[in-house]
């Protein structure tokens, strides 16, 4: 499924037009365009694509699990409330720009937990409520929405580290490069596996099992245990050894004993009662 | 051969199991306990309207949002926000969402009330700082949505409560208006926003809340100027103070007109000299003024006159107004009277009438009442009852209903500053026989059950009974010392100035003590805890005690206060207000005849003061006069200094216990390139068992063991911020190992492209530190081991014969030993909040690092993973020695999390204490939660585990005896038969 970008009504402000080229703007509007079309296809309804304040993700249908989003947008404008009308977007992109303040980027992404994605919105017992997403080792901490999305605001350009803290799962930290020159470009990679991510969808590397599994009781485990082995050995010595000794030629036996005595090694026969007698 | 083989296999089987900490799920709670806290409550909102579970949602000073059960005080759900994410306000919207405003009014979140799931999150932007205000009007509804109004950072935002969408924003920063209040005009969709521009211009905006349209804007100047908080007395009148703090200004802004009215405090018959303050409140027609140490309740009469209704001392606390049944208002007043607390609920505007008057007995260890929140409920006879949630000085939270404390929470334990341990009393002789017999029977029964359990014969009820027996185990919560040293008292000092003694067996509070508050010192800060007296050999009659050192004020020059607390009884033995300050406290390794430890306090003039102030102490001190050295780290100036004692203080007042000091050495780091971010030294009471290490090549390496090692980490000033703020090329981390007696730098290493935060632990002859590598963009952990090279020559036999070895030479810091260091670096996945190392009684047991990760878990990592002698392909000999093949990152084995599936939310510190049993160490991790467990880093090789089945042993013995008899009889018979033959 194609990438869908939601999350913005924040576009480069007019004050910053000198720096960000028109090409960027048009690229973005194209993206927005695509997303609208995409949503149209998915939802089959008229879609006044509200671009929120870089924060509120448009809730996707829960079946659209593979639709992820990842966007880093230069959010210069604060007050811009604009609607991209369907028709407008088909004809041309409408970019409303208003002045604002607050310099910084925002990162949005999604954490996928097994079993969470299939659940309906707001279903109880979802583990998403116990998950924290930590930026740069504690600079910011945020939580997951019911559908697994999270976002960080007001970030500086540079390389950042995102960690997911979820009991029962092992997540690799993710390095995210926020580029000042190419706003809207996301570069993310798992630091553990050095795998690049096309979109900021974080999945657990493995589940963590904190407890040892108690082996069910079995005769074999008892036999295999040191006690069992010792017992087994005793049984062998008590019941099998005399039989072996009986089958031995007495001459050979005596020779073997003498040999051992001459070597000064504690004799096998000394350990076995009855062997010396016979 | 067969025997040898089998014996070898047996040995192999028994010795080759890798020691791991793993725990079975049914062992949870046997040796560990976990407690959850929330911290001192700042805001509380009740949710009791609907039938079903009644709850109260609170936010606390530890940045916790929690939903508590109103019946029992248990936590339904809880979230710990980030450290900078301070909660500014909470409320409930739509009856199902908890709305929190945090981070100085820039983050607005909604949480699902039943389960605490975050529903949406909105970021509010603005240019300048202003007071964050959250208003959730109940009647501003559009369809099913309702509005949330937030004033922060100079803007007013209206946010939809369903999805957090910002509907409109109005910026007041352009007119440089600082918003003071957002007021909803009763039952309409119009709101008033009032604020000051500068200190004298008053602005009132009337706004349509539905669309943000500005309906009216009035402004007026008041020559006197405004200062401090405002108190809203009605929807169109507020009261504030003028800049002289002697005139109350009533501002009314009704009918599109702003009118000021001044009332001198002296006209109200009050002395207005001193500190006058308006307390924020929401009572209709009434407000509270704090003057010096009393409070005035002032009413606005219908003729817009002010009159004093009541005057109380400053310890009285008033709740916000509560609207119950059809516009009736009530508020609660809590007053102290001796050991009792009087709670009165009064109807709004009518001071002389009481709806409820209750008096409850209050433990004086809880201190004063700090906050009160009220809520109403319908009694069975349809009359209104009130319950009050009270926050005390010791941060505890109480629910009071019908004159009784329904539940209480000791939430001071969420803010532990310092921890130490104390032994329990020795068991007294004389245990009754009947008790032993009874317990013997019980003991056997328990073990039979356990045996059934191991043999898988137990029924589900039996399994439950086994679990209950294991968890109950009265042994572990006894109030006496045990043979293995597992039972101890954890003495914890909290931000609330309250000391708790927790029993290590089950974590219960044995005693608690709110530190005595003297007249001179109202709010001591920077408290620390030291072991003052730990009697063991002689002086057994004395109780152990701890020393609490505090500072009476914020500056480092503020005088210190000392307080001595008996750890058995929890009584404060003594307390002193000192004349000098204490910037550093040093426990000395000397004790007097009553086992009191000598302490040195360094004041801000770099003079030292000896405690206890006895002649015995001074004689001990004078013997060791020339052997006392210490260091100080001035992180801001980038200087580390070494000090020694010079002479007695030369002052006009003769003080035998005061000494002048001199600076021996100093290390000055270049400010432009290095900034000190961490300084770690060895634990003073750490025991090292062996000084030498025999390697696989039959070689001996001598550890360089010095108590006077200091690890210092510096970073480039540009890279001292957060990750992502620095470029790898302009970041570096330099680590030093410094001898604190001579100031000699033993080891220095630079990590290019690395930055902090650095967490380090120094133990024996090694240091392990955790930092961030910007080039690889991963965290790293490095280990550095120091070996003494001057002793390495001792293996020469000839020298030994000739007596030219230096094995018996005393170790001195003045000698300059040749040392070598070995280092190795590994990747580590997680951010780290705290690092500690296990410590055991004799130091024989191998060590484990305890790493508090960002997920608030504590990971035990074997020191063998951090061994600089690891190589990619270790030789056979090295493998036998236990050297693990080198890997680029440290393994995270889920089973080795000592906190297993629990979280120690807001983890701040980890303390390890040796038990008497060599194999075992006690671990206490604290943050907002507390977690305690017992660890055996190399397994319990010196005792049987809890799981050991005595019944199975008995059964085996019985079976063996029976077998002996049977075989004896059989052999007799056989012999007889042989003889007959």
């Amino acid at each position: 499924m194609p990438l869908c970008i939601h999350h913005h009504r924040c576009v480069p402000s007019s004050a910053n037009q000198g720096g960000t080229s028109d090409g960027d703007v048009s690229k973005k509007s194209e993206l927005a365009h695509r997303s609208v079309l995409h949503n149209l296809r998915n939802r089959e309804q008229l879609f006044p694509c509200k671009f929120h304040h870089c924060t509120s993700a448009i809730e996707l249908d829960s079946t659209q699990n593979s639709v992820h989003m990842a966007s880093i947008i230069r959010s210069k404008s604060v007050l811009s409330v604009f609607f991209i009308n369907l028709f407008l977007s088909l004809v041309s992109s409408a970019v409303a720009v208003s002045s604002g303040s607050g310099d910084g980027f925002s990162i949005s992404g999604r954490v996928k937990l097994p079993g969470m994605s299939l659940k309906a919105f707001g279903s109880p017992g979802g583990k998403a409520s116990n998950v924290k997403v930590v930026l740069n080792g504690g600079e910011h901490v945020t939580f997951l929405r019911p559908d697994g999305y999270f976002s960080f605001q007001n970030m500086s350009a540079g390389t950042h580290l995102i960690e997911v803290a979820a009991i029962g799962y092992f997540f690799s930290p993710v390095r995210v490069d926020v580029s000042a020159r190419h706003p809207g470009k996301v570069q993310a990679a798992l630091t553990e596996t050095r795998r690049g991510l096309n979109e900021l969808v974080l999945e657990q590397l493995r589940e963590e099992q904190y407890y040892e599994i108690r082996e069910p009781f079995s005769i074999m485990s008892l036999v295999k245990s040191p006690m069992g082995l010792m017992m087994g050995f005793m049984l062998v010595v008590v019941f099998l050894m005399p039989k072996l000794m009986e089958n031995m030629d007495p001459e050979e036996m005596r020779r073997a004993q003498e040999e051992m005595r001459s070597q000064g090694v504690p004799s096998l026969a000394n350990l076995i009662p009855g062997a010396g007698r016979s | 051969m067969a025997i040898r083989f089998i014996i070898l296999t047996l040995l192999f089987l028994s010795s080759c199991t890798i020691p791991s900490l793993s725990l079975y799920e049914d062992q949870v709670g046997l040796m560990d306990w976990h407690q959850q806290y929330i911290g001192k409550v700042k805001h509380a909102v009740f949710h009791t309207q609907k039938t079903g579970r009644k709850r109260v949602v609170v936010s606390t000073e530890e940045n916790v949002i929690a939903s508590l059960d109103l019946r029992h005080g248990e936590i339904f759900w809880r979230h710990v926000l980030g450290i900078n994410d301070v909660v500014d306000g909470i409320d409930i919207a739509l009856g199902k969402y908890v709305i929190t405003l945090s981070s100085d009014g820039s983050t607005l979140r909604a949480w699902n009330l039943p389960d605490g799931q975050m529903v949406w999150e909105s970021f509010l932007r603005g240019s300048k700082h202003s007071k964050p205000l959250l208003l959730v009007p109940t009647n501003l509804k559009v369809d099913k949505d309702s509005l949330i109004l937030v004033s922060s950072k100079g803007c007013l935002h209206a946010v939809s409560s369903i999805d957090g969408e910002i509907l409109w924003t109005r910026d007041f920063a352009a007119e440089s208006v600082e918003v003071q209040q957002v007021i909803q005009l009763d039952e309409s969709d119009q709101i008033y926003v009032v604020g000051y521009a500068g200190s004298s211009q008053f602005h009132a905006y009337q706004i349509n809340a539905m669309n943000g349209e500005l309906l009216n804007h009035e402004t007026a100047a008041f020559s006197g100027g405004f200062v401090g908080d405002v108190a809203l007395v009605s929807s169109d009148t507020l009261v504030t103070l003028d800049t002289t703090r002697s005139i109350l200004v009533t501002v009314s802004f009704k009918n599109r007109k702003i009118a000021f009215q001044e009332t001198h405090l002296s006209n109200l018959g009050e002395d207005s000299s001193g500190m006058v303050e308006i307390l924020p409140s929401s009572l209709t027609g009434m407000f509270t003024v704090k003057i010096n140490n009393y409070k005035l309740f002032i009413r606005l009469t219908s003729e817009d006159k002010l009159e004093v209704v009541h005057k109380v001392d400053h310890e009285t606390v008033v709740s916000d107004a509560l609207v119950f049944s059809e516009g009736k208002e009530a508020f609660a007043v809590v007053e102290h009277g001796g050991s009792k607390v009087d709670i009165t609920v009064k109807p709004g505007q009518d001071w002389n009438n009481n709806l409820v008057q209750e008096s409850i007995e209050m433990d004086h260890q809880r201190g004063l009442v700090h906050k009160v929140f009220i809520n109403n409920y319908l009694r069975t006879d349809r009359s209104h009852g009130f319950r009050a949630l009270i926050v005390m000085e010791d941060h505890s939270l109480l629910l009071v209903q019908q004159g009784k404390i329904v539940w209480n929470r000791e939430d001071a334990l969420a803010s532990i500053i310092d921890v130490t341990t104390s032994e329990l009393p020795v068991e007294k002789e004389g245990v009754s026989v009947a008790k032993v017999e009874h317990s013997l029977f019980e003991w056997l029964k328990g073990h039979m059950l356990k045996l059934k359990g191991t043999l898988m014969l137990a029924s589900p009820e039996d399994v439950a009974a086994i679990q209950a027996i294991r968890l109950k185990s009265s042994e572990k919560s006894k109030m006496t010392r045990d043979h293995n040293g597992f039972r101890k008292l954890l003495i914890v000092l909290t931000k609330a100035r309250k000391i708790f003694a927790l029993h290590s067996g089950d974590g219960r509070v044995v005693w608690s003590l709110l530190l005595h508050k003297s007249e001179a010192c109202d709010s001591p800060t920077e408290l620390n805890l030291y072991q003052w007296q730990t009697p063991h050999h002689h002086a057994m009659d004395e109780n152990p005690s701890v020393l609490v050192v505090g500072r009476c004020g914020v500056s480092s020059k503020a005088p210190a206060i000392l307080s001595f607390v008996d750890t058995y009884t929890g009584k404060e033995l003594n307390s002193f207000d000192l004349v000098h300050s204490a910037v550093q406290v040093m426990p000395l390794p000397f004790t007097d005849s009553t086992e009191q430890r000598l302490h040195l306090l360094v004041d801000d003039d770099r003079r030292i003061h000896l405690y206890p102030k006895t002649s015995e102490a001074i004689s001990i001190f004078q013997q060791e006069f020339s052997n006392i050295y210490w260091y100080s780290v001035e992180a801001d100036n980038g200087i580390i200094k070494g000090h020694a004692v010079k002479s007695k203080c030369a002052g006009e007042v003769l003080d035998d216990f005061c000494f002048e000091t001199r600076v021996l050495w100093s290390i000055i780091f270049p400010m432009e390139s290095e900034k000190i971010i961490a300084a770690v030294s060895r634990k003073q009471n750490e025991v090292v068992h062996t000084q030498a290490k025999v390697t696989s090549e039959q070689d001996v390496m001598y550890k360089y063991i010095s108590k006077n090692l200091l690890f210092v980490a510096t970073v480039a000033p540009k890279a001292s911020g957060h990750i992502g703020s620095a470029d790898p090329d302009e970041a570096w981390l330099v680590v030093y190992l410094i001898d604190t007696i001579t100031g000699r730098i033993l080891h220095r290493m630079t990590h290019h492209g690395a930055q902090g935060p650095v967490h380090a632990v120094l133990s024996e002859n090694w240091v392990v530190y955790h930092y961030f590598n910007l080039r690889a963009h991963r965290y790293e952990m490095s280990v550095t081991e120091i070996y003494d090279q001057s002793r390495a020559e001792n293996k020469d036999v000839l020298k030994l014969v000739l007596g030219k070895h230096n094995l018996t030479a005393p170790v001195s810091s003045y000698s300059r030993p040749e040392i070598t260091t070995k280092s190795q670096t590994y990747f580590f996945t997680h951010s780290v909040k705290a690092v500690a190392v296990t410590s055991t009684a004799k130091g024989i047991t191998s060590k484990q690092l305890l790493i508090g990760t960002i997920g608030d878990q504590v990971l035990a990592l074997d020191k063998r993973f951090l061994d600089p002698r690891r190589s990619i392909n270790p030789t056979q000999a090295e493998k036998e020695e236990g050297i693990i093949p080198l890997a680029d990152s440290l393994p995270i084995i889920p089973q080795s999390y000592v906190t297993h599936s629990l979280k120690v939310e807001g983890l701040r510190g980890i303390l390890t204490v040796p038990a008497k049993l060599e194999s075992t160490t006690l671990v206490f991790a604290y943050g907002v939660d507390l977690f305690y467990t017992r660890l055996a880093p190399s397994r319990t090789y010196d005792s049987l585990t809890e799981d050991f089945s005595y019944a199975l042993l008995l059964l085996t013995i019985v079976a063996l005896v029976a077998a002996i008899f049977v075989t004896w009889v059989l052999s007799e018979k056989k012999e007889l038969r042989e003889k007959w033959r």
Side-chain angles (χ1 to χ4, degrees), chain B residues 849-867:
Chain B
L849 287 167
L850 300 173
I851 302 168
T853 64
I854 192 78
D856 295 320
Q857 291 170 288
V858 179
L859 179 75
L861 190 67
D862 223 287
K863 170 66 180 57
R864 289 193 302 159
F865 287 111
L866 289 138
D867 185 345

Side-chain angles (χ1 to χ4, degrees), chain B residues 545-653:
Chain B
S545 54
V546 289
L547 165 70
V548 185
V549 182
R551 191 187 284 169
C552 198
V554 187
S555 82
S556 64
K557 290 200 192 312
I561 45 167
L562 300 184
S563 156
F564 302 91
V565 180
D566 185 327
T567 62
Y568 286 176
T569 60
K571 295 275 175 296
E572 193 166 20
L573 300 170
N574 226 333
S575 78
F576 301 106
D577 291 332
L578 304 184
V579 284
H580 59 82
S581 60
V583 290
Q584 206 175 345
V585 181
M586 291 178 290
L588 295 178
F590 317 116
T591 51
D592 67 5
S593 57
T594 55
E595 298 277 340
Q596 286 188 11
R597 188 162 293 279
L598 269 59
H599 282 69
L600 290 179
L601 269 62
V602 186
D603 67 12
D604 58 318
D605 291 330
R606 292 268 160 237
R607 272 199 291 252
I608 56 169
H609 303 267
L610 178 71
Y611 289 88
K613 292 198 168 186
T614 57
S615 55
E616 192 192 353
I618 204 107
S619 67
I620 297 170
F621 182 72
Q622 245 138 17
Q623 279 169 27
E624 304 288 343
F625 197 79
S626 57
N627 286 334
I628 288 165
Y629 300 89
W630 72 96
Y631 67 92
S632 61
V633 180
E634 293 165 32
D636 297 335
N637 306 327
I639 302 174
I640 298 176
K641 282 180 188 158
H643 307 266
V645 192
K646 195 166 79 184
S647 60
K648 280 203 173 160
C649 283
E652 44 283 19
V653 192

Side-chain angles (χ1 to χ4, degrees), chain B residues 183-184 186 231-239 251-254 283-286 300 349:
Chain B
I183 308 142
Q184 189 196 3
D186 16 43
L232 194 69
V233 285
S234 74
S235 62
D236 51 13
T237 315
L238 55 82
V239 180
V251 188
S252 79
F253 40 93
K254 55 189 140 194
L283 308 178
T284 309
M286 206 173 336
L300 186 74
Q349 293 174 312

Side-chain angles (χ1 to χ4, degrees), chain B residues 711 735 737 747 749 751 762-763 765-769 782-786 821-824 863 866 868:
Chain B
F711 168 84
V735 296
L737 279 166
H747 171 73
M749 188 154 69
H751 297 271
L762 188 65
S763 169
N765 67 324
W766 50 263
V767 58
V768 168
Y769 50 99
S782 281
V783 59
T784 301
E785 294 191 350
I786 321 156
T821 54
K822 287 172 182 246
S823 297
Q824 215 166 53
K863 170 66 180 57
L866 289 138

